[in-house]
Amino acid sequence: MREHKIVVLKGDGIGPEIVDEALKVLDAAGEKFGFKMQYDEQLMGGCAIDATGVPLPEETVTACKAADCVFLGAVGGPKWDTQPGNNRPEAGLLGIRGALGLYANLRPATIFAPLKSASPIKDSIIGDSMDILIVRELTGGIYFGERGTSVENGVEVAYDTEKYSVPEIQRIARTAFEMAMKRNKKLTSVDKANVLDSSRLWRKTVIELSKEYPEVELSHMYVDNCAMQLVRNPKQFDVIVTSNIFGDILSDEASMISGSIGMLASASLAEGKFGLYEPIHGSAPDIAGQGIANPLATILSAAMMLRYSLDEPAAADAIEAAVNTVLTTARTPDIYEEGFKKVSTSQMGDLVAANL
Ligand code: NAD
């Protein structure tokens, strides 16, 4: 029997609740499709600070490097907001992305047909469905650039630096071109080349690389225009490639087009097949422990993990199809509509597992 060894980082807030449902679905998929999951549970985020004093213990990094891939819930919460910047739960996230070389963040923004009415965008704009893939650079740019705080002439100042090298841009752009080749062969590169030098280098490098992908229709868009176009005419997009900070913001915006932040999965890929899989939402401390969190983004992240890292595409397809089926009858409170059965976090996990 095929065995897959993954590190599980449940994290904080709703993290443990939603990850448990995804593991339930993974185990059920394994039984059906003939593989066995092995879970190595490790600490990251606030729970790691409580247990060890730091958000990303060395032991966690070592375990992740030895695994086939990593599965994460979410980290953070008000309890750790007073920690210094480099010891906050989110520092664990940035740290693990760097330590594992996770340079490409894949964020699908999809509308499941039964959830169409949950989208705040008019039917006439989204049509029957929407399927955008945002490819966000994850280990460079302003979140990793030189930063500092000081007092100048008695005034407190702070700065952060956006910096990209040609190899960094080539690597993420190549991932995006490859994804576009597997989809509708349309790539939009998003930058702010009218203002930023780093964006001008981004655009020049993407254009240069495009010569290797003559079949892909490449266009460029300023980030402010893209923010507008995502709401005005989202169907014009197939694959979007952009920097770390622009991708962070645009993918959250795209998630709202889908109707709920609780529905969207993500993959962060390194070279080869290694990746880290997590829902795009945070630890939702406001609803943690109430059994009402939507576990579908996490379950769909498990499907992405099966597809991109574990070579189990049939199981991945089955999970996505089961989610679509379950959504025709059952809803967690965040996506609830009259006429549907309102279910808890664990009931939603049970239903997806039962519909595989
Ligand atoms: P959030 O995504 O946690 O929550 C935003 C809103 O969406 C909340 O009202 C929440 O209840 C709701 N929500 C999120 N996920 C949901 C789900 N699965 N089901 C139902 N409702 C859901 O964002 P936030 O409130 O800005 O951040 C909370 C904490 O999470 C912060 O500490 C933040 O730093 C952290 N965070 C972590 C990650 C991560 O681990 N990757 C990502 C974003 C934020």
Side-chain angles (χ1 to χ4, degrees):
M1 185 183 286
R2 301 184 297 282
E3 290 204 351
H4 304 302
K5 189 176 164 233
I6 68 168
V7 163
V8 176
L9 306 169
K10 291 186 177 177
D12 312 311
I14 60 170
E17 302 164 50
I18 53 179
V19 168
D20 283 346
E21 297 316 305
L23 301 189
K24 186 190 279 178
V25 172
L26 278 170
D27 288 337
E31 265 180 39
K32 189 160 173 149
F33 291 92
F35 60 85
K36 188 161 171 32
M37 300 297 300
Q38 276 182 28
Y39 306 119
D40 174 9
E41 207 176 308
Q42 297 286 336
L43 296 174
M44 190 179 82
C47 58
I49 295 172
D50 288 349
T52 71
V54 293
L56 181 60
E58 207 40 57
E59 199 185 324
T60 298
V61 176
T62 308
C64 289
K65 286 182 175 166
D68 293 333
C69 58
V70 182
F71 194 63
L72 167 68
V75 299
K79 180 176 176 195
W80 303 281
D81 278 352
T82 50
Q83 291 280 333
N86 61 0
N87 209 51
R88 287 174 65 110
E90 293 79 3
L93 267 182
L94 297 184
I96 201 152
R97 286 171 186 164
L100 301 178
L102 304 170
Y103 67 90
N105 189 209
L106 271 47
R107 293 188 169 206
T110 332
I111 294 187
F112 284 84
L115 268 188
K116 239 176 71 174
S117 58
S119 173
I121 309 283
K122 284 188 211 142
D123 267 13
S124 58
I125 290 177
I126 49 173
D128 286 336
S129 62
M130 192 190 77
D131 183 6
I132 301 173
L133 180 66
I134 298 186
V135 179
R136 166 188 170 197
E137 202 289 326
L138 205 56
T139 51
I142 198 163
Y143 294 168
F144 292 89
E146 193 190 318
R147 66 186 57 200
T149 53
S150 60
V151 177
E152 291 173 11
N153 302 323
V155 179
E156 211 177 345
V157 297
Y159 71 98
D160 304 273
T161 320
E162 174 86 345
K163 183 175 174 183
Y164 272 112
S165 69
V166 168
E168 279 177 306
I169 303 166
Q170 283 171 332
R171 186 169 67 165
I172 190 71
R174 189 173 293 288
T175 302
F177 276 111
E178 293 290 337
M179 293 289 158
M181 284 298 286
K182 291 187 190 132
R183 293 168 46 103
N184 295 324
K185 299 193 171 71
K186 270 182 75 179
L187 178 62
T188 309
S189 174
V190 173
D191 60 38
K192 189 72 185 166
N194 50 343
V195 179
L196 302 174
D197 277 335
S198 53
S199 277
R200 282 191 276 273
L201 182 67
W202 180 281
R203 191 176 282 214
K204 189 174 96 177
T205 307
V206 173
I207 290 172
E208 192 57 36
L209 190 67
S210 70
K211 293 175 187 154
E212 293 180 32
Y213 297 90
E215 285 176 59
V216 176
E217 184 194 322
L218 172 67
S219 60
H220 304 273
M221 199 177 270
Y222 297 137
V223 62
D224 40 352
N225 185 27
C226 183
M228 219 159 59
Q229 295 297 332
L230 273 171
V231 180
R232 206 182 134 260
N233 179 17
K235 285 181 90 74
Q236 70 184 286
F237 297 110
D238 177 22
V239 180
I240 292 174
V241 63
T242 191
S243 63
N244 202 341
I245 188 168
F246 295 161
D248 191 2
I249 298 162
L250 292 177
S251 56
D252 269 16
E253 183 191 358
S255 75
M256 278 326 290
I257 299 171
S258 301
S260 169
I261 198 162
M263 289 300 302
L264 292 171
S266 81
S268 303
L269 305 179
E271 312 269 1
K273 293 208 155 164
F274 191 86
L276 178 147
Y277 298 82
E278 59 177 319
I280 74 155
H281 58 72
S283 59
D286 52 333
I287 58 166
Q290 298 175 35
I292 57 170
N294 183 347
L296 292 178
T298 318
I299 290 170
L300 291 166
S301 303
M304 287 184 90
M305 176 171 78
L306 291 169
R307 180 172 293 121
Y308 292 120
S309 284
L310 303 179
D311 278 329
E312 300 285 357
D317 289 347
I319 291 175
E320 286 164 359
V323 167
N324 204 55
T325 305
V326 171
L327 284 173
T328 59
T329 55
R331 301 287 169 89
T332 43
D334 57 312
I335 50 171
Y336 180 74
E337 285 172 87
E338 213 166 310
F340 288 82
K341 184 173 178 220
K342 197 184 269 185
V343 296
S344 67
T345 308
S346 67
Q347 284 170 325
M348 186 54 107
D350 289 342
L351 282 169
V352 176
N355 276 277
L356 284 174

